[in-house]
Amino acid sequence: MPTYIVLPVIALVAIALASIPQVSAFGLSALPLAILLGMSYGHFLLRVEDEKDHQFSHFCKQKMLRLGIILFGFGLSFQQIVAVGWQAVVIDLVVITVIFSVGTFVGIKVFKLHRDVAILTAAGSAICGAAAILATESVLKPKQQHITIAIATVVLFGTLAMFSYPFIYQWVAMNDHTFGIYIGSTAHEVAQAVAAGQSINVETMQTAVVVKLIRVMMLAPFIIMLSLVLTRLNRSDDAGSNEKSVVAIPWFVFGFMATAMINSMFVLPEIVKISFSFASQFSLAMAMAALGAHTRWATIKEAGPKPLLLATLLFIMLIFGGFFLTSWLS
């Protein structure tokens, strides 16, 4: 069966599975499900892919990815920031800055990981899981096995964190609103913030989702800043060369910001918002399916324990550091 049929089918199946309560209870969104299904398809593929198959896979990993992130902006609004207060914004900023900085430094300098693996893992833990990793990929241009390794670690520890929140809630003196801020500022995926909040009560879930979406909104300036920093580093590395480094501007990020602004300024019909949400999920799921279809399990095994050690460190920082930061500022 040709790739242009298989990948859309995998994306639709992943979205359908993510909507099942028993599956969503584990905090599994359509994105990690799509990459798992894509990897399964890639391992059991009996036919040899032709040039058209490769072209369509590349189209999904590039164009569909960017379209999905742009459309994702329609689910965000600046009014959500006002609703939870300035403390939530500050906490999100501190979490993103510290987790990404420590993750990148420790990953590269201490664990001696490939630069791209360290940056992707840190970005996924700091901002919004698989979506952040895919967005960061547009700046780094890494190998697809590096993307898969980062996503695997983020999904694993994001799921572990999601199950930790209800247990922590029983032993702390935080009120429901503050605990929602804690979940939203430290959960890896939006789906995991929803599932963790639901396990406590409605107020906690609503606060957690809003705070988590604020972190997602910070993805845009993060990608732009990362692009500028990497360009400067490349220029210093190529100081002796006559070639000039060009700033890799992730233009789709401006589209993401524009759609969020439109959603903030205008009241869109519910059917339109639902349509954009589905189109975003479908586009991103196709990108993940294409990525998974060309990744082998052996790739993750070859990476060794170091990516897991880095993800473990970031998980501990998010759970404990995020708790004390939220307690202090809220």
Side-chain angles (χ1 to χ4, degrees), residues 28-303:
L28 290 173
S29 67
L31 303 192
L33 287 170
I35 193 171
L36 289 174
L37 292 173
M39 290 177 71
S40 300
Y41 163 72
H43 276 77
F44 295 105
L45 178 64
L46 299 178
R47 61 186 291 272
V48 178
E49 290 189 335
D50 56 25
E51 184 61 28
K52 287 185 178 180
D53 291 325
H54 286 292
Q55 288 178 353
F56 185 74
S57 294
H58 182 75
F59 172 80
C60 290
K61 288 186 284 186
Q62 297 292 323
K63 306 300 182 184
M64 294 298 285
L65 164 65
R66 287 155 176 74
L67 175 63
I69 292 176
I70 290 172
L71 294 176
F72 193 69
F74 282 111
L76 310 173
S77 72
F78 299 118
Q79 289 88 340
Q80 292 170 326
I81 299 176
V82 178
V84 294
W86 65 268
Q87 293 94 336
V89 179
V90 172
I91 292 170
D92 278 345
L93 278 171
V94 173
V95 166
I96 290 174
T97 303
V98 173
I99 294 299
F100 180 75
S101 300
V102 172
T104 302
F105 178 82
V106 173
I108 296 174
K109 299 296 184 179
V110 179
F111 293 136
K112 307 299 181 183
L113 288 169
H114 190 282
R115 184 198 70 168
D116 293 350
V117 175
I119 291 177
L120 291 170
T121 302
S125 298
I127 308 174
C128 53
I133 291 171
L134 288 173
T136 306
E137 175 270 338
S138 66
V139 176
L140 289 178
K141 308 296 184 187
K143 296 179 180 178
Q144 65 180 27
Q145 57 260 41
H146 293 161
I147 304 173
T148 307
I149 291 167
I151 289 175
T153 58
V154 166
V155 170
L156 173 62
F157 285 96
T159 304
L160 181 60
M162 182 194 66
F163 286 111
S164 301
Y165 294 121
F167 175 78
I168 295 171
Y169 180 74
Q170 299 176 26
W171 298 95
V172 299
M174 279 186 179
N175 59 48
D176 295 339
H177 177 77
T178 303
F179 200 80
I181 293 176
Y182 167 53
I183 292 175
S185 61
T186 55
H188 291 66
E189 298 266 2
V190 176
Q192 291 161 356
V194 173
Q198 275 182 338
S199 67
I200 296 171
N201 56 50
V202 176
E203 181 186 354
T204 301
M205 182 198 70
Q206 291 175 341
T207 304
V209 171
V210 171
V211 175
K212 179 62 190 173
L213 290 177
I214 292 173
R215 274 172 76 197
V216 174
M217 292 180 73
M218 293 177 181
L219 177 63
F222 167 81
I223 293 297
I224 294 171
M225 291 177 66
L226 178 64
S227 177
L228 293 172
V229 170
L230 290 177
T231 301
R232 285 190 176 186
L233 290 175
N234 291 336
R235 282 175 179 170
S236 62
D237 291 341
D238 300 334
S241 173
N242 293 324
E243 295 184 6
K244 292 184 178 181
S245 299
V246 179
V247 178
I249 300 176
W251 294 107
F252 70 94
V253 169
F254 294 101
F256 169 80
M257 295 170 68
T259 53
M261 187 174 295
I262 291 171
N263 191 47
S264 303
M265 297 173 63
F266 303 99
V267 180
L268 300 176
E270 194 62 28
I271 184 65
V272 173
K273 296 181 73 171
I274 292 173
S275 299
F276 282 141
S277 176
F278 176 81
S280 174
Q281 271 200 320
F282 180 70
S283 299
L284 292 174
M286 281 188 64
M288 295 295 278
L291 174 65
H294 294 88
T295 302
R296 299 295 176 262
W297 296 108
T299 301
I300 300 176
K301 186 178 179 181
E302 289 172 5

Side-chain angles (χ1 to χ4, degrees), residues 16-32:
L17 287 174
S19 66
I20 298 174
Q22 290 83 351
V23 177
S24 61
F26 286 93
L28 290 173
S29 67
L31 303 192

